[in-house]
Amino acid sequence: QLDHGCALHAAARDGLSSVSSRDVLAERPRAVFHTSESDPAKHTEQHEGRLYNIPLEEVKAVFPHGLPHRFQQQIQTFNEARLMVRKPALELLACLKGSNFAHPAVRYVIYGERGTGKTMTLCHVVHYCSRQGWLVLHIPDAHLWVKNCKELLQSSYNKDRLDQPLQASAWLKNFKTSNERFLQEIKTQKKYMWGKRESTEEGRPLREVVEQGLARVRSASDAVGVVLRELKQQSHRGSFRLLVAVDGVNALWGRTALSKEDKSPVSPEELTLVHNLRKMVMNDWSGGAIVTTLSQTGSLFKPSSAYTPQELLGKEGFDALDPFVPIPVPNYSPREFESCYGYYLERKWLQHEKAHTEDGKAELRFLSGSNPRQLERLAGPL
Amino acid sequence: TFRQICTTTAVQRKNVGASGPEKYTEAFIKKQIEEFNLGKRHLANMMGEDPETFTQEDIDRAIAYLFPSGLFDEQARPMMKHPNEIFPEQRKIQWGEDGRPFHFLFYTGKQSYYSLMHETYEKLLNVQKHQDQLIAQDLPLQKEKRNLAGNRWLTKIELEEMLLEKVSDDDYSRFIQLLQKLVALPCANIEEKYIQKFSKEVPVQLQKVVIEPLQYDERGVAFSTGEGKRKTARATVVVYDNGTGKTTVNGIDILHYFPVLQDREQLLFPFQFLGRIGKHDMVCTVSGGGRSAQAGAIRLASAKALRSFVTEKEVEFMRQAGLLTVDPRVKERKKPGQEGPRRKFTWKKR
């Protein structure tokens, strides 16, 4: 099948001079590297190694904040979002499809070396779940919550903890865009007091809580905490499925780069956001799943060669997350490499004349070591 | 006329004897020779060896043992050689007691040069006469060509040493032209011996290097080893056949060991040059040096290892591409009175 594609590809290259036949010829090689199947639910091993399209409106709705920066740039350049279907993602989807939601939520930890596609796998799963109608709680990068925080307020709820109004409000905004209809349906079960005057009654839609958090930035972190607690309690009942997708979960158990006013370091438990998130990631609730990624890139105080769960989570995190289903993400297999290369070629991203030859492909494969990020960075200036 | 810009240090030594009047009298040199012989016997006695069969090599070894020196320049170290080698050859006095010169061309100023030109022209005329004789007798002209490729003419400095007098560029080129004219004639074989005095052999570079054959390991896969170095890094590489292009350095994948693209490109270069990018597996061990030096060392080692897999012509291409040459650049020594190898101290006016 691949030879057929390669022959067609060669024909496409030769035929590019004649404009009339271009459209006809360009359509057919597409079929090899791409699938028209844009519903992740229907992706099977047959689709492995191929790229599928996500319509741009869906991208804005589902991933207001989830995609890696470079991928967003690529979407802007190519004017379409193409995600590769890879084996780890397919495994995860199979597990999710077959899981029993009466049991406590299963935890999946996606791990792998730098730049192998862990975040992309997570986004694939998130897309699937949103298509299926789940409520997606997507935290794009937990590392953002433990470093580079300009404002730290002392929490009004609990004297020991510290609030992060900016990060919390940013996250609430994105959460609102991604899960509009759920916020209307889900009702609060308790009365919450925001400071002395404002309060939210029982039975009000969650959207009011979110808006309260956005309006009163000081209490944004508490609003986040409230949202998380409500969702956890209500997912039991089964009216909706909850997916907790955390990228860079090892941030929750490491050290932080923040310090209090008296220059003493802050440990993660003292941050409200982190504390609440840890409670979410515990598997004491049912009716959904928890999918997390380990990330070394944003992690603090960890060596760059560390990528296994033990190293990155540390003892504390490992015990907290145990038991979990580990999902390793390897570099591109030869087939995946071919399809990625073919995609770049087809979108005319590789402009160098040698890049079109077999030798050029072999060079790219050697220099990038079949690592998706390296390949993407290499193909950039070409 | 051309001027040689880079010459070896041996050739650069000026011919002191030809430049001026005698600096060392004959009696002086004779005395030096006697002293040298005596010294040789003393040295042999000291080392406990037989004075009669004490060769120059033994002398060199003994001196190196008795006076060890850490100097890099071989000629700066203490040495004991025969005076004829140390004191350059000189021209004896060219005129007799009555002031009359011995040689008939003395007053030309360059007597040996002109006498040489005369001799060579005589040989040329000889050859032409012989040729005419053969034509007159209707005999076929001999057409055995000398092997022109492996020989070169004497350089100007070598000619100066032979003639013991200075030769200018113009004179030298005229002499070479005359020799070439002589060689071009078909019957030049008669004067072969004369011509051989002025030509030298040039050994072809490649003949010296021996290419090892391929070895086979237990699985039946062909492999070959190569070693390379660059600055202070030393690398050994084993290149396996029938591979996928996977490369391991000190047990670590190249993506992790060389995060910089430039180093990986250096590793890629030999394979890309031969067009064998995805065909070989590589296992390397490298130590010393820095990131770039290690990459260069592995590149050299892999090029050397690939020689066994490849035809001779391609080996010659690799050599000309510079893949097989050891990079001679090393860190330059810091000199006293300067801050670095080239940088001087900041100059303060007062």
Side-chain angles (χ1 to χ4, degrees):
Chain A
Q1 211 182 12
L2 255 173
D3 298 319
H4 182 57
C6 282
L8 278 173
H9 218 62
R13 260 183 271 138
D14 294 333
L16 268 175
S17 49
S18 54
V19 181
S20 56
S21 55
R22 186 209 278 204
D23 299 330
V24 175
L25 282 172
E27 282 303 324
R28 269 182 285 155
R30 258 183 179 240
V32 185
F33 302 122
H34 308 278
T35 48
S36 46
E37 201 55 75
S38 55
D39 189 1
K42 305 206 191 99
H43 285 159
T44 56
E45 265 114 38
Q46 203 197 18
H47 296 107
E48 191 189 320
R50 307 216 196 157
L51 303 131
Y52 79 96
N53 195 5
I54 312 181
L56 285 173
E57 306 81 29
E58 259 198 77
V59 169
K60 267 191 250 173
V62 177
F63 300 116
H65 56 179
L67 296 169
H69 184 62
R70 282 195 82 99
F71 189 67
Q72 279 171 353
Q73 286 174 334
Q74 191 181 310
I75 296 178
Q76 272 182 346
T77 323
F78 291 160
N79 218 12
E80 61 173 6
R82 287 231 168 235
L83 214 56
M84 191 183 285
V85 177
R86 295 181 74 190
K87 211 152 100 173
L90 286 172
E91 277 179 28
L92 244 188
L93 293 179
C95 289
L96 281 178
K97 281 177 208 171
S99 57
N100 185 351
F101 294 112
H103 291 210
V106 188
R107 284 184 285 214
Y108 303 94
V109 173
I110 308 177
Y111 70 99
E113 305 200 343
R114 276 206 283 191
T116 46
K118 304 182 282 284
T119 317
M120 299 304 285
T121 321
L122 191 70
C123 293
H124 191 168
V125 174
V126 164
H127 185 220
Y128 162 75
C129 294
S130 64
R131 271 290 181 106
Q132 295 283 307
W134 293 33
L135 206 175
V136 169
L137 204 72
H138 185 44
I139 288 118
D141 197 355
H143 291 297
L144 293 173
W145 289 358
V146 297
K147 55 180 181 173
N148 292 344
C149 183
K150 296 288 188 289
E151 286 184 17
L152 275 180
L153 300 173
Q154 211 189 23
S155 164
S156 50
Y157 183 69
N158 189 338
K159 284 285 176 295
D160 294 329
R161 300 213 210 117
L162 295 163
D163 264 359
Q164 284 153 306
L166 296 167
Q167 274 90 350
S169 53
W171 185 79
L172 277 176
K173 206 161 46 173
N174 289 322
F175 179 64
K176 200 165 109 168
T177 24
S178 55
N179 297 308
E180 285 285 354
R181 62 183 184 93
F182 282 111
L183 293 175
Q184 206 54 38
E185 292 169 1
I186 305 174
K187 313 279 186 221
T188 55
Q189 285 175 336
K190 221 174 81 158
K191 185 173 166 199
Y192 296 105
M193 299 284 296
W194 312 112
K196 292 193 191 129
R197 282 170 232 163
E198 291 108 18
S199 67
T200 312
E201 304 296 324
E202 208 179 301
R204 307 292 296 159
L206 254 187
R207 158 181 269 172
E208 283 199 14
V209 176
V210 173
E211 267 161 32
Q212 172 75 37
L214 283 173
R216 293 266 177 279
V217 181
R218 291 187 80 114
S219 46
S221 328
D222 292 328
V224 170
V226 163
V227 163
L228 294 181
R229 185 194 291 172
E230 286 297 318
L231 291 175
K232 199 156 125 173
Q233 282 167 352
Q234 295 191 11
S235 68
H236 270 303
R237 292 203 239 125
S239 50
F240 61 88
R241 303 250 183 279
L242 179 63
L243 174 75
V244 179
V246 186
D247 201 339
V249 76
N250 47 326
L252 302 179
W253 285 281
R255 288 154 59 183
T256 62
L258 310 168
S259 57
K260 295 193 264 245
E261 273 154 11
D262 51 351
K263 305 277 172 69
S264 61
V266 174
S267 78
E269 295 93 35
E270 295 179 21
L271 294 167
T272 1
L273 289 172
V274 174
H275 183 84
N276 293 326
L277 199 56
R278 278 197 199 176
K279 282 194 274 187
M280 276 315 276
V281 164
M282 291 294 134
N283 58 351
D284 45 1
W285 51 278
S286 63
I290 307 176
V291 182
T292 63
T293 347
L294 293 180
S295 165
Q296 196 282 325
T297 346
S299 75
L300 304 156
F301 311 109
K302 287 275 185 281
S304 60
S305 52
Y307 72 95
T308 54
Q310 269 126 312
E311 287 166 344
L312 281 176
L313 285 173
K315 191 161 175 310
E316 217 186 291
F318 198 81
D319 293 331
L321 272 188
D322 198 29
F324 60 83
V325 178
I327 301 182
V329 177
N331 280 328
Y332 276 157
S333 69
R335 203 175 141 178
E336 289 169 346
F337 180 85
E338 300 266 341
S339 53
C340 191
Y341 172 78
Y343 176 56
Y344 283 140
L345 216 60
E346 187 216 348
R347 301 301 271 163
K348 302 205 181 62
W349 188 236
L350 301 169
Q351 287 288 323
H352 200 272
E353 46 307 320
K354 288 240 191 82
H356 297 285
T357 58
E358 276 299 317
D359 281 339
K361 183 156 58 158
E363 269 183 48
L364 280 174
R365 198 198 317 241
F366 184 90
L367 285 176
S368 65
S370 297
N371 186 298
R373 176 185 284 171
Q374 289 294 327
L375 179 62
E376 206 250 310
R377 292 193 97 103
L378 266 181
L382 282 178
Chain B
T1 55
F2 64 94
R3 193 172 289 187
Q4 269 180 325
I5 301 172
C6 301
T7 53
T8 54
T9 43
V11 186
Q12 260 170 356
R13 253 182 303 142
K14 275 202 299 197
N15 204 345
V16 176
S19 48
E22 275 184 25
K23 298 215 175 85
Y24 314 106
T25 48
E26 269 195 51
F28 171 77
I29 294 201
K30 267 202 210 127
K31 212 174 82 169
Q32 292 292 316
I33 295 178
E34 278 170 25
E35 280 186 7
F36 172 75
N37 286 327
L38 265 181
K40 203 163 90 164
R41 296 183 77 91
H42 277 303
L43 191 60
N45 267 333
M46 267 197 279
M47 300 300 287
E49 302 204 17
D50 184 18
E52 305 299 326
T53 55
F54 205 54
T55 57
Q56 184 61 43
E57 284 171 7
D58 296 329
I59 299 181
D60 290 333
R61 256 188 290 133
I63 296 287
Y65 170 69
L66 289 171
F67 304 99
S69 133
L71 299 171
F72 289 122
D73 193 2
E74 300 286 322
Q75 273 132 31
R77 296 181 178 175
M79 62 167 126
M80 180 165 153
K81 292 211 171 17
H82 193 83
N84 280 346
E85 292 168 37
I86 300 184
F87 299 108
E89 273 182 57
Q90 300 187 49
R91 274 212 291 219
K92 308 179 201 47
I93 298 198
Q94 313 281 338
W95 51 90
E97 277 183 3
D98 54 350
R100 202 160 165 269
F102 294 134
H103 204 282
F104 72 102
L105 287 173
F106 175 77
Y107 286 112
T108 57
K110 312 180 223 178
Q111 60 172 45
S112 12
Y113 170 72
Y114 282 117
S115 68
L116 182 71
M117 290 293 273
H118 271 296
E119 267 185 49
T120 320
Y121 194 65
E122 217 183 289
K123 305 287 182 200
L124 189 84
L125 289 175
N126 245 350
V127 169
Q128 279 177 346
K129 215 168 59 173
H130 188 253
Q131 215 175 327
D132 291 334
Q133 276 175 2
L134 285 180
I135 290 175
Q137 292 166 16
D138 280 329
L139 285 174
L141 302 165
Q142 290 169 321
K143 288 229 177 132
E144 297 161 17
K145 290 266 178 206
R146 313 164 61 232
N147 185 12
L148 295 160
N151 300 18
R152 64 170 176 89
W153 297 117
L154 283 188
T155 56
K156 185 163 106 78
I157 300 170
E158 282 165 356
L159 189 64
E160 278 184 7
E161 277 181 14
M162 207 165 103
L163 298 179
L164 293 179
E165 69 178 13
K166 280 244 185 278
V167 175
S168 79
D169 290 336
D170 280 332
D171 294 340
Y172 173 71
S173 55
R174 285 194 76 118
F175 177 59
I176 296 294
Q177 278 167 15
L178 192 58
L179 277 177
Q180 279 166 351
K181 204 167 152 190
L182 175 58
V183 165
L185 294 176
C187 294
N189 305 307
I190 309 166
E191 312 296 346
E192 197 55 50
K193 251 203 295 186
Y194 183 73
I195 296 171
Q196 269 172 15
K197 272 195 264 177
F198 300 108
S199 72
K200 278 203 180 161
E201 275 216 6
V202 177
V204 181
Q205 273 288 335
L206 202 53
Q207 285 161 2
K208 290 186 200 161
V209 179
V210 175
I211 308 176
E212 293 106 21
L214 286 177
Q215 298 156 354
Y216 290 87
D217 68 351
E218 322 74 60
R219 285 175 300 160
V221 176
F223 73 95
S224 88
T225 27
E227 287 182 4
K229 61 176 182 151
R230 168 93 212 268
K231 272 195 191 176
T232 336
R234 303 282 179 268
T236 28
V237 156
V238 185
V239 175
Y240 293 95
D241 211 350
N242 290 348
T244 48
K246 233 172 41 152
T247 326
T248 319
V249 180
N250 285 355
I252 305 177
D253 191 37
I254 50 160
L255 256 191
H256 292 257
Y257 198 80
F258 290 125
V260 182
L261 178 67
Q262 176 193 350
D263 303 332
R264 272 175 279 149
E265 278 180 351
Q266 289 283 300
L267 292 206
L268 177 69
F269 182 30
F271 298 98
Q272 182 197 25
F273 188 76
L274 296 170
R276 288 166 175 247
I277 302 184
K279 295 189 195 147
H280 295 283
D281 275 343
M282 251 196 345
V283 176
C284 332
T285 31
V286 69
S287 61
R291 166 203 99 189
S292 238
Q294 286 186 342
I298 299 181
R299 177 184 114 173
L300 179 61
S302 59
K304 281 196 183 157
L306 279 174
R307 277 183 311 192
S308 334
F309 286 96
V310 140
T311 57
E312 274 198 25
K313 232 185 178 180
E314 295 199 328
V315 173
E316 182 60 26
F317 285 149
M318 277 217 285
R319 185 186 74 85
Q320 287 183 355
L323 272 171
L324 298 176
T325 14
V326 178
D327 203 331
R329 299 178 283 181
V330 273
K331 213 162 166 176
E332 204 175 307
R333 173 207 143 164
K334 172 186 160 358
K335 283 102 192 171
Q338 293 176 7
E339 209 173 287
R342 299 284 170 106
R343 158 127 176 107
K344 324 280 184 277
F345 287 120
T346 323
W347 179 75
K348 298 248 175 62
K349 204 159 181 182
R350 49 189 68 87

PDB file of all heavy atoms in Angstrom, chain B residues 274-289:
ATOM      1  N   LEU B 274      28.758   8.935   0.793  1.00  0.00           N
ATOM      2  CA  LEU B 274      28.756   7.676   0.068  1.00  0.00           C
ATOM      3  C   LEU B 274      27.348   7.254  -0.326  1.00  0.00           C
ATOM      4  O   LEU B 274      27.171   6.267  -1.015  1.00  0.00           O
ATOM      5  CB  LEU B 274      29.371   6.583   0.944  1.00  0.00           C
ATOM      6  CG  LEU B 274      30.830   6.818   1.290  1.00  0.00           C
ATOM      7  CD1 LEU B 274      31.265   5.837   2.352  1.00  0.00           C
ATOM      8  CD2 LEU B 274      31.688   6.636   0.069  1.00  0.00           C
ATOM      9  N   GLY B 275      26.346   7.963   0.160  1.00  0.00           N
ATOM     10  CA  GLY B 275      24.972   7.603  -0.173  1.00  0.00           C
ATOM     11  C   GLY B 275      24.471   6.398   0.584  1.00  0.00           C
ATOM     12  O   GLY B 275      23.613   5.667   0.106  1.00  0.00           O
ATOM     13  N   ARG B 276      25.020   6.170   1.802  1.00  0.00           N
ATOM     14  CA  ARG B 276      24.613   4.956   2.521  1.00  0.00           C
ATOM     15  C   ARG B 276      24.003   5.329   3.859  1.00  0.00           C
ATOM     16  O   ARG B 276      24.395   4.815   4.903  1.00  0.00           O
ATOM     17  CB  ARG B 276      25.850   4.096   2.804  1.00  0.00           C
ATOM     18  CG  ARG B 276      26.401   3.453   1.594  1.00  0.00           C
ATOM     19  CD  ARG B 276      27.791   2.914   1.877  1.00  0.00           C
ATOM     20  NE  ARG B 276      28.265   2.184   0.720  1.00  0.00           N
ATOM     21  CZ  ARG B 276      28.477   0.895   0.699  1.00  0.00           C
ATOM     22  NH1 ARG B 276      28.292   0.188   1.782  1.00  0.00           N
ATOM     23  NH2 ARG B 276      28.902   0.303  -0.393  1.00  0.00           N
ATOM     24  N   ILE B 277      23.039   6.242   3.841  1.00  0.00           N
ATOM     25  CA  ILE B 277      22.602   6.799   5.121  1.00  0.00           C
ATOM     26  C   ILE B 277      21.905   5.785   6.004  1.00  0.00           C
ATOM     27  O   ILE B 277      22.217   5.602   7.158  1.00  0.00           O
ATOM     28  CB  ILE B 277      21.673   8.006   4.894  1.00  0.00           C
ATOM     29  CG1 ILE B 277      22.408   9.062   4.083  1.00  0.00           C
ATOM     30  CG2 ILE B 277      21.262   8.590   6.208  1.00  0.00           C
ATOM     31  CD1 ILE B 277      21.640  10.313   3.889  1.00  0.00           C
ATOM     32  N   GLY B 278      20.928   5.069   5.487  1.00  0.00           N
ATOM     33  CA  GLY B 278      20.170   4.204   6.376  1.00  0.00           C
ATOM     34  C   GLY B 278      20.654   2.785   6.396  1.00  0.00           C
ATOM     35  O   GLY B 278      19.975   1.901   6.907  1.00  0.00           O
ATOM     36  N   LYS B 279      21.855   2.526   5.835  1.00  0.00           N
ATOM     37  CA  LYS B 279      22.225   1.137   5.617  1.00  0.00           C
ATOM     38  C   LYS B 279      23.119   0.567   6.687  1.00  0.00           C
ATOM     39  O   LYS B 279      23.291  -0.632   6.791  1.00  0.00           O
ATOM     40  CB  LYS B 279      22.936   1.014   4.263  1.00  0.00           C
ATOM     41  CG  LYS B 279      21.986   1.340   3.154  1.00  0.00           C
ATOM     42  CD  LYS B 279      22.571   1.012   1.804  1.00  0.00           C
ATOM     43  CE  LYS B 279      21.726   1.708   0.757  1.00  0.00           C
ATOM     44  NZ  LYS B 279      22.477   2.125  -0.381  1.00  0.00           N
ATOM     45  N   HIS B 280      23.752   1.433   7.482  1.00  0.00           N
ATOM     46  CA  HIS B 280      24.706   0.901   8.460  1.00  0.00           C
ATOM     47  C   HIS B 280      24.295   1.273   9.862  1.00  0.00           C
ATOM     48  O   HIS B 280      23.738   2.333  10.104  1.00  0.00           O
ATOM     49  CB  HIS B 280      26.103   1.491   8.205  1.00  0.00           C
ATOM     50  CG  HIS B 280      26.695   1.093   6.907  1.00  0.00           C
ATOM     51  ND1 HIS B 280      27.259  -0.147   6.692  1.00  0.00           N
ATOM     52  CD2 HIS B 280      26.798   1.755   5.746  1.00  0.00           C
ATOM     53  CE1 HIS B 280      27.690  -0.196   5.448  1.00  0.00           C
ATOM     54  NE2 HIS B 280      27.433   0.941   4.855  1.00  0.00           N
ATOM     55  N   ASP B 281      24.619   0.374  10.807  1.00  0.00           N
ATOM     56  CA  ASP B 281      24.472   0.671  12.233  1.00  0.00           C
ATOM     57  C   ASP B 281      25.820   1.055  12.782  1.00  0.00           C
ATOM     58  O   ASP B 281      26.834   0.535  12.343  1.00  0.00           O
ATOM     59  CB  ASP B 281      23.997  -0.578  12.986  1.00  0.00           C
ATOM     60  CG  ASP B 281      22.495  -0.701  12.936  1.00  0.00           C
ATOM     61  OD1 ASP B 281      21.826   0.295  12.618  1.00  0.00           O
ATOM     62  OD2 ASP B 281      21.997  -1.794  13.222  1.00  0.00           O
ATOM     63  N   MET B 282      25.826   1.919  13.794  1.00  0.00           N
ATOM     64  CA  MET B 282      27.126   2.336  14.337  1.00  0.00           C
ATOM     65  C   MET B 282      27.122   2.227  15.837  1.00  0.00           C
ATOM     66  O   MET B 282      26.166   2.647  16.493  1.00  0.00           O
ATOM     67  CB  MET B 282      27.364   3.820  13.973  1.00  0.00           C
ATOM     68  CG  MET B 282      28.413   3.953  12.958  1.00  0.00           C
ATOM     69  SD  MET B 282      29.170   5.518  12.656  1.00  0.00           S
ATOM     70  CE  MET B 282      28.260   6.756  13.351  1.00  0.00           C
ATOM     71  N   VAL B 283      28.210   1.696  16.382  1.00  0.00           N
ATOM     72  CA  VAL B 283      28.380   1.690  17.836  1.00  0.00           C
ATOM     73  C   VAL B 283      29.706   2.376  18.114  1.00  0.00           C
ATOM     74  O   VAL B 283      30.744   1.928  17.666  1.00  0.00           O
ATOM     75  CB  VAL B 283      28.407   0.253  18.383  1.00  0.00           C
ATOM     76  CG1 VAL B 283      28.688   0.280  19.867  1.00  0.00           C
ATOM     77  CG2 VAL B 283      27.099  -0.443  18.109  1.00  0.00           C
ATOM     78  N   CYS B 284      29.679   3.471  18.845  1.00  0.00           N
ATOM     79  CA  CYS B 284      30.910   4.244  19.049  1.00  0.00           C
ATOM     80  C   CYS B 284      31.250   4.350  20.529  1.00  0.00           C
ATOM     81  O   CYS B 284      30.380   4.367  21.384  1.00  0.00           O
ATOM     82  CB  CYS B 284      30.769   5.677  18.532  1.00  0.00           C
ATOM     83  SG  CYS B 284      29.631   5.901  17.208  1.00  0.00           S
ATOM     84  N   THR B 285      32.550   4.467  20.791  1.00  0.00           N
ATOM     85  CA  THR B 285      33.023   4.844  22.132  1.00  0.00           C
ATOM     86  C   THR B 285      33.929   6.053  21.940  1.00  0.00           C
ATOM     87  O   THR B 285      34.790   6.043  21.079  1.00  0.00           O
ATOM     88  CB  THR B 285      33.840   3.718  22.781  1.00  0.00           C
ATOM     89  OG1 THR B 285      34.492   3.010  21.757  1.00  0.00           O
ATOM     90  CG2 THR B 285      32.981   2.816  23.610  1.00  0.00           C
ATOM     91  N   VAL B 286      33.692   7.058  22.750  1.00  0.00           N
ATOM     92  CA  VAL B 286      34.478   8.280  22.568  1.00  0.00           C
ATOM     93  C   VAL B 286      34.827   8.840  23.933  1.00  0.00           C
ATOM     94  O   VAL B 286      34.075   8.702  24.894  1.00  0.00           O
ATOM     95  CB  VAL B 286      33.670   9.299  21.730  1.00  0.00           C
ATOM     96  CG1 VAL B 286      32.495   9.838  22.499  1.00  0.00           C
ATOM     97  CG2 VAL B 286      34.546  10.400  21.224  1.00  0.00           C
ATOM     98  N   SER B 287      36.014   9.448  24.038  1.00  0.00           N
ATOM     99  CA  SER B 287      36.405  10.033  25.315  1.00  0.00           C
ATOM    100  C   SER B 287      37.282  11.239  25.028  1.00  0.00           C
ATOM    101  O   SER B 287      37.939  11.320  23.995  1.00  0.00           O
ATOM    102  CB  SER B 287      37.178   9.033  26.161  1.00  0.00           C
ATOM    103  OG  SER B 287      38.340   8.654  25.487  1.00  0.00           O
ATOM    104  N   GLY B 288      37.297  12.155  25.961  1.00  0.00           N
ATOM    105  CA  GLY B 288      38.160  13.313  25.845  1.00  0.00           C
ATOM    106  C   GLY B 288      37.546  14.384  24.973  1.00  0.00           C
ATOM    107  O   GLY B 288      36.561  14.184  24.286  1.00  0.00           O
ATOM    108  N   GLY B 289      38.181  15.552  25.001  1.00  0.00           N
ATOM    109  CA  GLY B 289      37.745  16.622  24.124  1.00  0.00           C
ATOM    110  C   GLY B 289      36.411  17.207  24.531  1.00  0.00           C
ATOM    111  O   GLY B 289      35.866  16.897  25.568  1.00  0.00           O
TER     112      GLY B 289
END
